[in-house]
Each structure stands twice: as structure tokens, then as C-alpha cells.
């Protein structure tokens, strides 16, 4: 165990410049919930400082305080040694702070240039601002490897480029301190590497970078110092070179965590689902899924890797009965499924296909519904929940929910709490419990651990493996390569609506999969 | 969590908002040179000071319960039915057809059939916009409001043509015979030995109360209500769960239109005993304010409907007693609608902030 330096404990180098950011005694409460408790944080100038912590640990709140979205109840912010009041994002920008949000704040139909000047126009007429921004962009592109076509429409750019536009926006507002919130969630490994090169370049130019992430690998790869938050408190700040992923994980969760999934080799049985030439056309006429074929067997986890937006969502939606297929066939235990109609999710459930959707907020849960209402959502027409005259048996639903909350350790164990008031991990457990306990033959799982804390990830992974060991067929879609590699018995990679390759986990690695995710098959090009 | 206690949300905020609305209304009364305190006294006294006043107040309340429930039920499915006016107008046709053809029998026969018929006519009028939204994506706000105009014209045609009293100048049906005379509160009072002044308040009031209960049961205790609310919160999640948006949209609008249609029981069978052109008199629109103010909850709708009943009846008295024109009354009512429906946050934010500050101060 490395001894953890607190901020106060760090030896102050004589005559060193003041830290870029110095927070002391920051506290913030939302009603009775203490989101930040007496936080102290020093970020040295010209460094990359990682902040890790589970969901709900208070990272976002702290950064929102720094960027002026919230006002701290108590505490002091010093920027470059100067006490600073940050009441709104304008103050933050004036103090030289730029933020790249997890969900980009870009106007999609605008050009890159228009987005960059948005909110920073010089006058009523756009032309001079645009001209000024254009020359600034050229310079920034040269300095930091941030090439983007200034006249491209943002909505037509790849995600990695959109992110560059966000960084350019911050730099154009002469940010010296850049906060990045989960920046790699939507990037391919190659794009992430490029981002890291950009960040290194920014650091070399003396910029200070705060990186918020839950990926310990990234912390290890790029940061100089890392701070760990847990339950609203800053529990440790350590030099990255002096720590390890398992130590960080332990600091985050407060106990030892298994980063590896414990699983025995699969013993696949009969083919449960056959997918042949499956195609889906989106609402705008653009193909989302282009002639996909694969088999899914009992007792195996088939991992679907790929950067978000390459057809995985369409695959889950068509199999889950949300979307209709334009072409192709799917058989379940030899019986063909009717794919010609959208909105047939109820029929899929009856046939034994469970679905843990990618986006639990948008699909999997009704956020204002209480836990007990969510715990049977989609199965609410099951006979055990019915009373006469079309009324539902609230009590049966409550009892059912209590059981699920108990078996899946969903906390707080209060079936009357609204879904929105559970943490990400517990929300996901509600969905998983619901889908797993209906005992489906095939379970579709999308992003099982997105926005889920490490402690819950461990539990969710164990549940998925246990389900496989019961002989269920599992289709696992995830953008987290680590997760795909850890859980899958077989991996298919999707790119541009097609399967760009198939691998066995023991015969591949992140680089190999990363290339497939970009549509390049290294084995074919080598041959 | 980060929420206010219920009593602030349900009692304090509506009360403060209402107070603010009356305060601004008072300023308007001052501006035209009248005494606002006296105006207030006349209004309250006119609405609640006698069994006559209460009778009229509850008569208006009955209208607003029906149209308020109609809007509320659609709100829960995230559908904004502003076609209550037209649906109620057509409900009147439903009532009139039953009453005119069966008024030789007994009200125990005509009334249930009139309920059914009013419901069906109102529902059918809502069904077309519902279908257009569910299948064609035509926005229900636009279509329902357009259907109000169509309904008005259709009613005009029917009352000048097929339904018109023969050899009569006014566009209205003949008066219903005794077999379509439903019991008034005066009659009901007599059954139990109470003497009540005759007002248009009739048995439909009880039907409205029953509807409050049924709507509550439907929304919070039935499978359909569960699906309807889920759909209202998130259409995507509803589809994920196997709920058909088409089915929800259609059934919800049938129920919504049907409830609006039932309003005609009160005006056509109760008040007028014949179908006239403007029997709805804006109650369809007031229903929107009632549903907003009542938070789309049947009890809230009931309370809001009583408030608007008071405003209507009190306002009428005010027009009699003081030199305040009918338009001024409408202005005051509009202010209440504005404050209660649209400007609630004006009060909510300061109350929320004060409460949070007090909480932090004490904790």
C-alpha cells in the first residue's frame, strides 16, 4: 500500500508557482444529501490530474461548482493563487476554465466555426468574429494536433471530431484549465489515443487538465496525479506513478474489488437463436443494420463490440421487438420470429427473449415510477399481477419488488422510492433483476455497466455469468472493450452496421478489436 | 431527496398563487374605481352565501369536473386535449338524440342511455384527432382545437336543420318531454325532506363525482392506467415494455373525449332541457385550467372545479351588484387561470428557495 498524500501533507516546493486550482473546504448539499463534503484539491499547473470515483461520489458536483453551474455552500476556490468567485460559466471562462462535457454542447446543424464562436461573438455582425475564429483555429490546429475542417457541419462529423470542436471551443475562449468529463466514453481506442496525444500536447504548452473518468486504465496511462472521491469526500490524492489500478479501485469502493471476472470456460449447447441477413432501415431512410448473420447458442455469452452508433442499438432494438427489420430472418429455438412489425416487444417477452436495454433512463425504466412499478415493467400484464376488472394487484407487485430488491441487493431497499432516486448501479440492478428473474431463454444485454459503480459492476458481471452457466444464451453489447473481453465466450465486432470480424477472446486483444471497430481487419490485411 | 414536503406542494403553493391572483384582480378592480374588498364580498357571498348561490356554483362545478377530468386523463398520457369544447358540444348532440327519441319513457331509462350517448359522441369527436396523431403524426393540439370549430359549425347545421324545432326561429331543438327530465337537487332534496331553492344543479353532479373516483381508479389502480402513465412519462420506454402507443393514444382520447361529452348531461338535460347552440359556454377551455390547477389528480380537479364554480357564480352576481361589466369578470377569471395555470413557478421558486434556506439554517 502506497501512503496516500493528502493535499495538506504534500511537501510544498519552495518558490513553485501557485497551483492552477486550489479548492479548500468545498461543501455542497442538495437537500439532505451531502454531495461534497469539505473537499480540498490542489491541481498543479501544467499537469494532468485525474479524478476518479464511483457514480454519485460527487465528481460531477465538484466540477459543476468549479464551472459555475452550482454554487458551493461553503469553501474557497483559488485560481492560480487568486481567490475567485465563480457564480456562472461566464465567470469560469473569465477565470480561464474550459469544460468539455460528456454530452457535447454543440449545435448540430451549425458549422465548426459557428459553434466555436457561439457565445463568444464580438459584435452584432458575424463576419469579423468568424474571420477571427478561422485564423485562431488554424493556429490551434497547428499547435495541438486539433485539425478539424472549420466549415464542416458539426452534425456530420465523427464523434471524435465533435469532441475536438468542444476542446477548440474552450481553447478559443483562452482556457488555461481544461476539464474533461468522461471524454473517452464514445471514442474508439485509436481515437482515445489521439485524444491523449492532444492532451499531452496541451500539457506541454503549460495547460492544466482535469480528467474525470471511471476507466482506471486511462488514469494510469495519462495522468500525473490522481484524486479519488468517495461518498462526497476526497479520500486520497496520489501520484499516478506510485499507485496501481487495484489500489485505486479499492480506494474508490472502500473495499477490495475483483477487477477480473471469475468464470469457467463456456460449454455451449444447442443453437437457440439464428440471425440471418438481418437489416434495419432507420426513420430517415439510412440503413442502421446491414445484413447481419450470427448464431447464438445456449450457455454462451456472445459479445458484440464496437464504437457506439455502429448498429448495435439497431440490433438490440430489432431483436427486442422495438424496431421492425427491413430484411432477414431470426429464428428462436427453430421458430421464426415475425420481424415485420415494430412495437412488438410484448410478444418477444412471451417467446422468452429478455432485454436489458442500453439506455436504462430512456428505455429500461420509467424514472418517475417507484421501484415496485419498475420491477415489473414490461411484465405488468403477467397473471400474478392482475385483479378483476382490469385492475392491478399493487400488493403482489410490491411483494415481487421486495423479493427482487433483496435478491439483487438493491439499495436503498425501499420499493416506494422513485427510480430516479436510485444510483446508476442500483437502477441497473432493478432492470437486471426484472429481466433475469423472468427466466428468459435468450437475454439481450446492452451496456450492462454504463454509469454503474465498480462495486455493482462486479455483482452484475457475476449475475451475467451465472445466467450463462444456467444454460441461457446471452447477447452482450458493450462499448467497453474490457468488459467484452472479460465476459464474452465469443466476440463479434460491429462497424457501420455490419459485422467486421469475429474473434475468440483468448485469441485477440484490445488492439486487434480496436482495428476491427474501425472497420479494418488486421488478419485479412495481413493475409 | 431534493423535494418539498407535500403540504407545501399541495396546499401552500396553490394557496399563495390564488392569493396573488386575487390581489392582482383587486388591483384591476381598484383601477376601474371600485372597491375591491366589497367586490370580493359580493363574489363570495353570491357564490356561497345561500343555497341558491351554492346550487349555481355546484352546477358550474359539475361542468368543470367533466371537462377537467377529460384534460387530466389525457395529460397523464402526455396528450394535450384542448378539444374539450368541441367534444362537449357533440356530447350535447348525443344527449339530445336520446332525449328527443325516448322522452316519452322515464328518466331512469333516458338518463343512462344519455350518459352512454354523450360519452360515445364526445369520444368519437376525439377519436379522429387521436387517430391522426397515432398514425399520421398530426399534432393533437392542432387537430383538437380545429375540431372545436368544426364541432361548432356541425352543431349549427344540426340545430338549423335535422334537429331544429319545427316552425321555430331559434336554432334549437324542441324542449324535452317529462321522460327526459332528470331530477334536480330540489327534487332530490324533497325525497329526503329538505327544502332547497330551485337551481340547475341536478343529478349529473353525482355522476361527475363518480367519474372522479373512476378516473382515479383507472389511472392509479388499473393496468391500463399503469401503461398510460408509463407512456406519458416516456414513449420510448413504453414501446420497450411492449405497450402499444397507438392503443394508448386511442383509448385515452376515447376516455378523454367521452368525459368531455358527458358535460352535456349537465347543461342539455339539466339546465336547458333542450339542445342550444352554445350550451358549452367555454367550459371546455376552463377544463384545461382546472386540470392544470388540479395537477391532473381527480381530487385536485374536483377542488379546482369548485373554485372555478365559485368564480363563475360569484362573477355573475358581481355583474348584477356592481358597476363592473361582464368583461371585467372574465378578466378576473382569466387572471386566476393565468396565475394558477401558467405562473405557478412565480410562487414556487421563492417558496422552494426559502424552504431550502430554512432547512439548511436549522440543519
Amino acid at each position: 500500500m502506497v501512503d496516500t498524500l493528502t493535499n495538506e501533507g504534500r511537501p510544498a516546493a519552495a518558490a513553485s508557482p501557485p497551483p492552477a486550482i486550489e479548492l479548500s473546504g468545498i461543501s455542497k448539499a442538495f437537500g439532505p444529501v451531502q454531495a461534497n463534503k469539505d473537499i480540498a484539491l490542489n491541481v498543479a499547473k501544467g499537469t494532468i490530474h485525474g479524478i476518479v470515483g464511483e457514480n454519485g461520489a460527487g465528481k460531477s458536483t465538484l466540477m459543476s461548482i468549479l464551472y459555475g453551474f452550482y454554487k458551493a455552500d461553503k469553501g474557497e476556490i483559488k485560481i492560480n493563487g487568486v481567490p475567485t468567485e465563480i457564480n456562472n460559466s461566464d465567470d469560469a471562462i473569465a477565470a480561464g476554465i474550459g469544460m468539455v462535457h460528456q454530452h457535447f454542447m454543440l449545435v448540430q446543424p451549425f458549422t465548426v466555426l459557428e459553434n466555436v464562436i457561439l457565445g463568444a461573438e464580438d459584435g452584432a455582425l458575424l463576419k469579423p468574429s468568424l474571420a477571427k475564429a478561422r485564423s485562431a483555429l488554424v493556429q490551434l490546429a497547428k499547435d495541438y494536433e486539433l485539425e478539424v475542417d472549420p466549415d464542416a457541419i458539426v452534425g456530420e462529423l465523427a464523434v471524435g471530431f465533435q469532441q475536438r470542436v468542444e476542446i477548440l471551443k474552450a481553447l478559443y475562449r483562452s482556457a488555461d484549465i481544461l476539464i474533461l468529463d468522461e471524454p473517452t466514453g464514445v471514442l474508439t481506442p485509436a481515437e482515445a489515443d489521439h485524444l491523449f496525444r492532444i492532451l499531452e500536447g496541451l500539457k506541454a504548452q503549460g495547460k492544466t487538465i482535469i480528467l474525470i473518468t471511471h476507466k482506471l486504465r486511462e488514469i494510469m496511462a495519462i495522468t500525473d496525479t490522481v484524486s479519488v472521491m468517495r461518498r462526497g469526500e476526497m479520500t486520497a490524492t496520489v501520484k499516478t506513478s506510485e499507485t496501481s489500478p487495484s489500489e485505486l479501485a479499492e480506494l474508490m469502493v472502500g473495499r477490495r474489488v475483483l477487477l477480473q471476472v471469475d468464470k469457467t470456460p463456456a460449454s455451449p449447447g444447442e443453437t437457440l437463436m439464428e440471425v440471418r441477413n438481418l437489416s434495419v432501415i432507420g426513420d430517415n431512410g439510412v440503413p442502421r443494420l446491414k445484413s447481419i448473420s450470427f448464431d447464438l447458442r445456449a450457455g454462451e455469452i456472445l459479445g458484440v463490440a464496437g464504437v457506439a452508433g455502429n448498429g448495435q442499438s439497431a440490433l438490440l432494438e430489432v431483436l427486442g421487438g422495438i424496431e421492425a427489420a427491413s430484411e432477414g430472418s431470426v429464428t428462436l429455438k427453430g421458430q421464426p420470429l415475425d420481424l415485420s412489425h415494430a412495437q412488438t416487444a410484448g410478444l418477444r417477452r412471451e417467446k422468452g427473449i429478455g432485454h436489458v436495454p442500453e439506455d436504462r433512463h430512456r428505455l429500461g425504466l420509467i424514472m418517475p415510477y417507484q421501484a415496485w412499478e419498475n420491477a415489473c415493467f414490461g411484465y405488468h400484464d403477467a397473471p400474478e399481477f392482475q385483479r378483476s376488472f382490469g385492475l392491478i394487484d399493487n400488493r403482489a407487485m410490491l411483494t415481487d419488488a421486495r423479493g427482487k430488491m433483496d435478491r439483487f441487493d438493491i439499495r436503498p431497499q425501499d420499493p416506494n422510492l422513485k427510480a430516479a432516486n436510485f444510483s446508476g448501479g442500483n437502477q441497473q440492478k432493478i432492470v437486471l433483476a426484472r429481466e433475469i428473474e423472468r427466466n428468459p431463454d435468450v437475454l439481450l444485454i446492452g451496456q450492462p455497466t454504463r454509469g454503474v459503480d465498480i462495486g455493482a459492476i462486479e455483482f452484475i458481471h457475476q449475475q451475467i455469468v451465472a445466467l450463462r452457466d444456467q444454460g441461457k444464451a446471452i447477447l452482450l453489447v458493450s462499448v467497453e472493450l474490457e468488459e467484452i473481453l472479460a465476459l464474452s465466450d465469443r466476440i463479434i465486432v460491429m462497424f457501420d452496421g455490419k459485422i467486421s470480424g469475429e474473434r475468440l477472446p483468448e485469441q485477440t486483444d484490445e488492439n486487434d478489436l480496436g482495428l476491427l471497430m474501425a472497420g479494418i481487419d488486421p488478419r485479412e490485411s495481413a493475409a | 431527496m431534493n423535494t418539498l414536503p407535500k403540504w407545501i406542494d399541495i396546499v401552500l403553493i396553490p394557496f399563495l398563487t390564488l392569493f396573488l391572483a386575487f390581489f392582482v384582480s383587486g388591483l384591476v378592480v381598484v383601477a376601474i374605481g371600485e372597491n375591491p374588498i366589497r367586490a370580493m364580498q359580493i363574489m363570495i357571498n353570491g357564490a356561497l352565501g345561500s343555497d341558491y348561490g351554492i346550487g349555481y356554483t355546484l352546477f358550474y362545478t359539475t361542468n368543470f369536473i367533466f371537462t377537467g377530468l377529460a384534460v387530466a386523463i389525457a395529460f397523464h398520457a402526455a396528450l394535450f386535449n384542448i378539444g374539450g369544447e368541441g367534444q362537449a358540444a357533440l356530447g350535447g348532440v348525443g344527449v339530445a338524440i336520446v332525449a328527443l327519441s325516448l322522452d316519452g319513457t322515464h328518466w331512469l331509462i333516458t338518463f343512462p342511455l344519455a350518459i352512454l350517448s354523450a360519452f360515445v359522441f364526445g369520444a368519437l369527436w376525439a377519436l379522429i384527432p387521436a387517430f391522426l396523431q397515432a398514425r399520421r403524426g398530426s399534432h393533437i393540439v392542432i387537430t383538437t382545437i380545429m375540431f372545436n370549430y368544426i364541432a361548432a359549425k356541425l352543431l349549427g347545421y344540426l340545430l338549423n336543420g335535422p334537429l331544429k324545432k319545427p316552425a321555430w326561429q331559434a336554432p334549437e331543438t324542441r324542449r324535452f318531454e317529462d321522460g327526459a327530465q332528470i331530477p334536480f337537487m330540489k327534487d332530490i332534496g324533497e325525497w329526503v325532506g329538505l327544502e332547497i331553492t330551485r337551481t340547475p344543479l341536478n343529478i349529473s353532479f353525482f355522476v361527475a363525482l363518480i367519474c372522479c373516483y373512476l378516473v382515479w381508479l383507472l389511472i392509479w389502480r388499473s393496468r391500463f392506467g399503469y401503461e398510460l402513465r408509463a407512456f406519458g412519462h416516456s414513449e420510448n420506454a413504453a414501446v420497450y415494455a411492449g405497450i402499444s402507443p397507438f392503443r394508448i393514444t386511442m383509448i385515452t382520447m376515447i376516455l378523454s373525449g367521452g368525459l368531455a361529452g358527458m358535460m352535456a348531461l349537465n347543461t342539455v338535460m339539466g339546465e336547458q332541457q333542450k339542445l342550444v347552440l352554445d350550451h358549452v359556454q367555454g367550459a371546455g377551455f376552463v377544463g384545461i385550467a382546472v386540470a392544470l390547477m388540479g395537477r391532473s389528480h381527480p381530487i385536485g380537479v374536483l377542488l379546482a372545479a369548485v373554485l372555478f364554480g365559485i368564480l363563475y357564480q360569484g362573477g355573475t352576481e358581481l355583474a348584477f351588484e356592481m358597476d363592473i361589466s361582464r368583461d371585467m369578470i372574465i378578466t378576473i377569471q382569466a387572471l386566476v387561470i393565468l396565475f394558477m395555470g401558467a405562473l405557478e413557478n412565480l410562487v414556487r421558486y421563492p417558496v422552494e428557495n426559502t424552504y431550502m434556506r430554512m432547512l439548511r439554517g436549522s440543519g
Side-chain angles (χ1 to χ4, degrees):
Chain A
M1 176 105 184
V2 189
D3 57 339
T4 54
L5 301 170
T6 60
N7 295 296
E8 291 78 12
R10 180 182 299 166
S16 64
I21 297 173
E22 188 180 349
L23 304 178
S24 50
I26 297 279
S27 294
K28 174 77 187 169
F30 296 104
V33 179
Q34 192 76 34
N36 281 166
K37 250 180 279 180
D38 198 22
I39 301 267
L41 175 70
N42 277 8
V43 178
K45 216 173 163 53
T47 62
I48 301 183
H49 193 113
I51 296 183
V52 291
E54 298 193 283
N55 282 290
K59 296 170 298 193
S60 302
T61 306
L62 188 63
M63 291 305 121
S64 300
I65 289 170
L66 195 52
Y67 200 61
F69 284 151
Y70 300 136
K71 193 156 166 44
D73 300 334
K74 267 187 283 198
E76 192 186 32
I77 302 174
K78 282 187 190 169
I79 306 292
N80 296 319
V82 185
T84 311
E85 274 279 301
I86 300 179
N87 290 319
N88 50 47
S89 51
D90 287 346
D91 290 350
I93 291 166
I97 302 171
M99 183 141 176
V100 176
H101 297 272
Q102 188 175 4
H103 303 286
F104 304 147
M105 308 275 179
L106 296 169
V107 183
Q108 298 282 327
F110 276 18
T111 65
V112 170
L113 212 50
E114 286 168 332
N115 266 290
V116 166
I117 65 159
L118 189 67
E121 307 92 345
D122 289 327
L125 292 177
L126 282 182
K127 219 170 176 183
S129 305
L130 287 170
K132 190 178 126 201
R134 187 181 294 277
S135 60
L137 283 196
V138 172
Q139 191 57 42
L140 289 170
K142 229 180 357 203
D143 291 350
Y144 303 113
E145 262 195 276
L146 275 165
E147 295 85 0
V148 189
D149 174 9
D151 298 311
I153 303 288
V154 161
E156 293 168 3
L157 289 176
V159 191
F161 282 91
Q162 295 196 14
Q163 191 173 52
R164 286 187 206 173
V165 178
E166 282 282 22
I167 298 175
L168 282 169
K169 261 169 70 179
L171 294 176
Y172 181 70
R173 287 156 176 75
S174 40
D176 279 322
I177 300 162
L178 208 56
I179 305 169
L180 293 105
D181 188 4
E182 298 283 359
T184 58
V186 288
L187 304 181
T188 64
E191 284 173 319
D193 286 343
H194 188 111
L195 173 69
F196 292 157
R197 280 205 304 283
I198 292 170
L199 296 185
E200 293 284 359
L202 288 165
K203 177 179 138 184
Q205 300 276 336
K207 307 271 183 199
T208 308
I209 291 156
I210 297 183
L211 180 69
I212 302 168
T213 180
H214 67 279
K215 294 183 185 169
L216 296 176
R217 193 174 58 91
E218 293 173 359
I219 291 286
M220 298 310 293
I222 186 168
T223 63
D224 301 305
T225 320
V226 52
S227 295
V228 183
M229 289 189 75
R230 177 152 57 95
R231 291 190 195 146
E233 291 181 83
M234 194 64 88
T235 51
T237 297
V238 293
K239 281 217 164 67
T240 310
S241 54
E242 292 169 2
T243 186
S244 66
S246 56
E247 192 199 5
L248 288 176
E250 200 179 324
L251 284 169
M252 280 162 69
V253 185
R255 63 179 168 86
R256 209 156 260 297
V257 202
L258 240 58
L259 288 178
Q260 245 72 48
V261 182
D262 222 1
K263 79 181 202 346
T264 53
S267 45
E270 48 163 347
T271 299
L272 283 184
M273 187 184 252
E274 275 181 43
V275 176
R276 291 292 175 268
N277 306 320
L278 192 62
S279 299
V280 173
I281 292 176
D283 291 336
N284 49 5
V286 178
R288 296 176 69 198
L289 206 57
K290 300 172 185 167
S291 200
I292 295 261
S293 300
F294 62 86
D295 285 347
L296 185 59
R297 298 164 68 186
E300 76 164 349
I301 299 174
L302 176 60
V304 181
V307 177
N310 277 285
Q312 305 97 309
S313 307
L315 179 62
L316 288 176
E317 284 167 17
V318 71
L319 293 178
I322 295 170
E323 278 295 333
S326 55
E327 256 176 84
S329 66
V330 176
T331 60
L332 181 72
K333 294 191 281 187
Q335 301 291 317
L337 294 179
D338 177 13
L339 302 169
S340 55
H341 292 95
Q343 303 177 352
T344 53
L347 294 175
R348 291 301 146 76
R349 284 192 177 80
E350 280 170 26
K351 287 194 165 27
I353 300 180
H355 182 186
V356 176
E358 290 182 291
D359 188 338
R360 61 178 167 271
H361 294 131
R362 201 174 68 89
L363 296 180
L365 295 167
I366 300 286
M367 299 314 273
Y369 266 18
Q370 293 162 358
W372 64 271
E373 291 173 294
N374 272 303
C376 60
F377 187 52
Y379 303 99
H380 53 274
D381 47 4
E384 66 265 33
F385 299 136
Q386 311 307 314
R387 286 168 52 198
S388 39
F389 305 113
L391 300 183
I392 46 175
D393 190 342
N394 291 20
R395 210 166 287 168
M397 285 181 172
L398 262 169
T399 312
D400 171 73
R402 280 213 183 86
K404 283 172 180 158
M405 296 183 96
D406 187 39
R407 287 186 291 277
F408 279 75
D409 190 26
I410 296 163
R411 282 183 238 180
Q413 229 173 51
D414 177 2
N416 292 314
L417 205 59
K418 285 181 181 171
N421 293 336
F422 286 89
S423 72
N426 284 301
Q427 288 173 350
Q428 188 71 326
K429 283 192 204 168
I430 295 176
V431 179
L432 266 176
R434 183 179 75 205
E435 299 301 320
I436 287 179
E437 295 212 339
R438 279 285 147 180
N439 205 17
D441 295 316
V442 173
L443 186 60
L444 314 169
I445 307 182
Q447 320 298 350
T449 56
R450 177 183 279 169
V452 166
D453 38 71
I454 291 195
I457 289 178
E458 199 184 349
F459 178 86
I460 289 170
H461 283 174
Q462 284 163 359
Q463 292 294 326
I464 294 173
V465 172
L467 197 66
R468 178 202 72 169
D469 292 341
Q470 288 168 31
K472 310 295 181 190
I474 293 165
L475 187 75
L476 170 76
V477 170
S478 176
V479 292
E480 305 280 353
L481 275 186
E482 279 175 66
E483 182 165 77
I484 290 281
L485 283 165
L487 283 177
S488 308
D489 301 311
R490 203 151 55 88
I491 300 169
I492 55 178
V493 184
M494 290 190 67
F495 172 73
D496 190 27
K498 291 184 288 239
I499 294 179
S500 57
E502 183 175 336
R503 295 282 189 270
L504 292 173
E506 56 275 14
Q507 291 166 10
T508 185
D509 55 30
E510 297 207 353
N511 287 335
D512 181 37
L513 292 177
L515 285 168
L516 284 173
M517 282 160 72
I520 304 154
D521 191 337
R523 296 189 189 169
E524 271 176 22
S525 44
Chain B
M1 297 290 119
N2 196 13
T3 50
L4 294 171
K6 269 214 157 123
W7 67 269
I8 291 191
D9 202 38
I10 294 176
V11 180
L12 187 65
I13 290 178
F15 183 80
L16 286 177
T17 315
L18 191 63
F19 178 79
L20 202 62
F22 277 125
F23 181 75
V24 175
S25 305
L27 293 182
V28 173
V29 174
V30 170
I32 59 165
E34 293 286 343
N35 180 350
I37 307 287
R38 202 179 143 240
M40 190 74 169
Q41 278 169 347
I42 292 172
M43 265 186 99
I44 304 243
N45 201 36
L48 302 171
S50 62
D51 64 344
Y52 172 84
I54 293 175
Y56 265 96
T57 297
L58 291 181
F59 164 75
Y60 291 122
T61 300
T62 308
N63 287 344
F64 303 148
I65 291 175
F66 281 121
T67 53
L69 287 177
V71 178
I73 199 171
F75 265 156
H76 280 286
L79 295 166
F80 196 8
N81 176 19
I82 55 177
E85 196 77 9
Q87 290 144 18
L90 265 285
V93 176
V95 171
I97 288 174
V98 168
L100 290 172
S101 42
L102 293 172
D103 57 0
T105 60
H106 191 267
W107 72 269
L108 280 172
I109 296 169
T110 39
F111 191 52
L113 288 173
I115 293 176
L116 192 70
S117 181
F119 185 92
V120 168
F121 271 73
L124 284 176
W125 204 244
L127 202 57
I128 306 167
F131 182 83
L132 289 173
Q133 159 131 348
R135 277 284 181 260
R136 291 277 168 267
S138 317
H139 204 286
I140 209 154
V141 168
I142 309 291
T143 45
T144 48
I145 200 164
M146 289 307 170
F147 265 62
N148 286 340
Y149 293 104
I150 304 175
K153 297 296 169 205
L154 184 60
L155 193 62
Y157 162 75
L158 291 173
L159 289 178
N160 282 301
L163 291 178
K164 187 165 165 278
K165 180 179 180 183
W168 190 252
Q169 287 290 327
E172 55 186 46
T173 64
R174 69 171 169 80
R175 207 177 158 78
F176 306 149
E177 301 294 336
D178 287 352
Q181 302 285 344
I182 49 174
F184 280 72
M185 204 52 83
K186 182 180 187 326
D187 308 322
I188 296 169
E190 276 164 15
W191 298 344
V192 295
L194 276 174
E195 202 166 308
I196 300 173
T197 312
R198 184 168 178 93
T199 61
L201 183 62
N202 60 76
I203 196 170
S204 310
F205 176 64
F206 298 108
V207 177
L209 293 183
I210 292 168
C211 284
C212 283
Y213 175 70
L214 290 179
V215 165
W216 175 82
L217 205 62
L218 178 90
I219 292 178
W220 279 283
R221 286 293 179 272
S222 78
R223 188 169 89 203
F224 180 77
Y226 174 94
E227 297 187 345
L228 175 152
R229 284 181 294 130
F231 173 78
H233 289 306
S234 166
E235 179 170 349
N236 286 317
V239 170
Y240 156 79
I243 296 166
S244 158
F246 178 76
R247 185 172 154 264
I248 300 284
T249 305
M250 296 298 277
I251 298 180
T252 304
M253 285 304 283
I254 285 175
L255 295 170
S256 177
L259 281 164
M262 282 167 76
M263 193 216 91
L265 295 170
N266 192 40
T267 52
V268 176
M269 256 186 141
E271 184 190 21
Q272 303 279 350
Q273 288 135 34
K274 62 188 174 190
L275 182 60
V276 298
L277 257 187
D278 59 345
H279 73 93
V280 186
Q281 294 207 338
F285 292 116
V286 175
I288 298 168
V290 167
L292 278 171
M293 196 173 146
R295 302 288 177 81
S296 302
H297 192 288
I299 293 177
V301 166
L302 174 62
L303 293 175
V306 170
L307 174 73
F308 277 92
I310 292 171
L311 284 175
Y312 261 63
Q313 171 54 19
T316 313
E317 292 296 317
L318 196 56
F320 274 129
E321 298 276 328
M322 289 177 89
D323 193 16
I324 295 180
S325 74
R326 183 80 201 150
D327 294 333
M328 191 50 67
I329 313 289
I330 293 172
T331 306
I332 292 170
Q333 286 160 353
L335 279 168
V336 174
I337 295 178
L338 183 68
F339 275 90
M340 298 305 294
L343 298 180
E344 197 210 49
N345 285 342
L346 205 70
V347 171
R348 174 170 294 271
Y349 290 138
V351 169
E352 239 170 33
N353 285 339
T354 314
Y355 176 74
M356 287 297 168
R357 216 168 294 138
M358 278 161 54
L359 198 73
R360 231 172 280 137
S362 62

